[in-house]
Amino acid sequence: MKYDLAVTIDKASGFCFGVVYAIDMAEDILDHEDYLYCLGDIVHNDEEVKRLTDKGLRIIDHEQLKDLRQEKVLIRAHGEAPATYELALRNELTLIDASCPVVLKLQNRIKQSHDEDEQILIFGKHGHAEVIGLQGQTDGKAIVFQDIAELDQVDLPGKFTLYSQTTKSTDKFYSIKEELMARGYEVKANDTICRQVSNRYADLEKFVANYDKILFVSGKKSSNGKVLYDVCKKYNAHSYFISNIAEIDRAWFNPKDKVGICGATSTPMWLMEQVKTELLSY
């Protein structure tokens, strides 16, 4: 059966400027050198990571970093804790620092709060690269939680400062703030969510309403991918999350369907184009 689908890619989807900056830096170096080390996945998208590792990007973790000497290492957009920079000095490593400016600003604000002896709470995903870097600004003393229910098990002081990972849901951040204040805490809340992510909520809401089906393309490890997919699902029940063309199911479609393709701030445009080409072949 020929589906004859009408397929459109959301122009506002795709890499945020922080990811573009990091990937451009990596590619500039790999154009002239055989390899470049990168501390952690350069972006939370397996397809893009594979494209860059094929070019010579070598993904390493913090344990492997300890064994490197006199090498170049890329710091990705998520940023790093102070301990990483100290290790680099000891091991005579050249850091290519592609930390996102929004993340760096947040790190500085958290460090300032910590230096002023404020108890810090961070609304963020446990183990996420950005969150590890943020917690590192506080010598590991900040309390990280990804759901307010986790705080039921924590003996909180009466007054604290609340921050958020940059890619979290704005609505959820403010509902957490209101709930904590309702419980009687004095909360100094800092909305540190990146507007390149949060501004996409309204754009996506409008985009997905125009289509019979939505394919949301994202790596499974992407935090903002989960948030943005939830927006798609809320405003178009026929939204499907995929990471590559192998995950597309023809049974989702009817002939002549209008299909919209969108993605996370870590989703490359070439991958969404690949999905479009696949759908047009049906």
Side-chain angles (χ1 to χ4, degrees):
M1 176 172 51
K2 182 73 176 150
Y3 283 85
D4 200 17
L5 303 172
V7 186
T8 306
I9 297 174
D10 174 26
K11 293 284 187 289
S13 282
F15 289 155
C16 62
F17 73 85
V19 170
V20 170
Y21 180 59
I23 288 173
D24 281 352
M25 286 181 91
E27 291 192 303
D28 283 350
I29 291 169
L30 292 170
D31 282 345
H32 304 103
E33 300 182 23
D34 291 337
Y35 67 91
L36 171 67
Y37 289 104
C38 179
L39 189 52
D41 285 346
I42 190 168
V43 62
H44 285 150
N45 187 281
D46 291 344
E47 305 296 316
E48 179 67 2
V49 168
K50 183 181 184 309
R51 184 183 76 82
L52 289 165
T53 52
D54 286 347
K55 282 189 147 196
L57 195 69
R58 298 179 181 177
I59 309 294
I60 57 168
D61 59 25
H62 287 81
E63 282 304 307
Q64 291 165 305
L65 183 72
K66 291 174 186 172
D67 298 328
L68 286 188
R69 297 288 184 281
Q70 298 177 325
E71 292 279 8
K72 282 183 184 169
V73 181
L74 182 81
I75 302 291
R76 58 200 172 155
H78 302 96
E80 278 294 323
T84 300
Y85 295 88
E86 292 159 13
L87 175 67
L89 274 174
R90 289 197 302 275
N91 288 9
E92 299 178 68
L93 301 172
T94 302
L95 294 184
I96 314 298
D97 199 339
S99 299
C100 172
V102 178
V103 174
L104 284 179
K105 185 178 175 185
L106 172 54
Q107 287 186 350
N108 290 333
R109 288 180 69 180
I110 287 179
K111 186 179 187 317
Q112 190 175 352
S113 289
H114 175 65
D115 289 346
E116 292 169 7
D117 291 326
E118 296 175 5
Q119 174 61 66
I120 295 165
L121 268 67
I122 300 171
F123 169 47
K125 183 180 176 183
H126 293 294
H128 188 280
E130 181 192 320
V131 174
I132 291 168
L134 299 178
Q135 201 176 20
Q137 309 304 316
T138 71
D139 298 323
K141 291 176 183 164
I143 296 166
V144 175
F145 68 100
Q146 47 193 62
D147 192 274
I148 196 164
E150 292 175 41
L151 298 178
D152 296 341
Q153 318 301 321
V154 180
D155 186 18
L156 294 174
K159 177 182 178 182
F160 49 79
T161 303
L162 177 66
Y163 287 98
S164 172
Q165 179 183 339
T166 59
T167 52
K168 281 296 186 183
S169 158
T170 317
D171 290 347
K172 193 163 182 192
F173 175 78
Y174 280 104
S175 70
I176 285 168
K177 174 196 167 186
E178 296 304 324
E179 173 62 26
L180 290 169
M181 289 174 74
R183 292 181 186 183
Y185 294 108
E186 187 181 334
V187 183
K188 182 176 163 188
N190 296 274
D191 175 355
T192 51
I193 292 160
C194 176
R195 290 305 180 252
Q196 277 226 320
V197 177
S198 62
N199 288 348
R200 290 192 183 183
Y201 304 164
D203 293 340
L204 267 185
E205 182 182 330
K206 294 191 193 90
F207 177 79
V208 302
N210 298 319
Y211 298 93
D212 301 307
K213 307 286 160 54
I214 292 292
L215 290 192
F216 185 83
V217 188
S218 172
K220 293 182 173 65
K221 289 184 267 188
S222 170
S223 287
N224 80 82
K226 292 180 180 65
V227 171
L228 293 172
Y229 174 63
D230 285 345
V231 173
C232 293
K233 200 78 176 157
K234 182 177 178 183
Y235 294 99
N236 187 325
H238 301 291
S239 296
Y240 303 95
F241 187 108
I242 61 166
S243 296
N244 53 53
I245 58 172
E247 295 177 3
I248 302 171
D249 185 345
R250 286 181 187 235
W252 294 337
F253 308 106
N254 296 313
K256 304 284 186 187
D257 266 350
K258 281 168 48 183
V259 183
I261 298 170
C262 46
T265 58
S266 50
T267 304
M269 187 55 73
W270 65 261
L271 184 57
M272 289 184 279
E273 294 279 5
Q274 201 178 72
V275 171
K276 179 179 179 177
T277 302
E278 176 71 10
L279 294 179
L280 291 176
S281 73
Y282 290 175

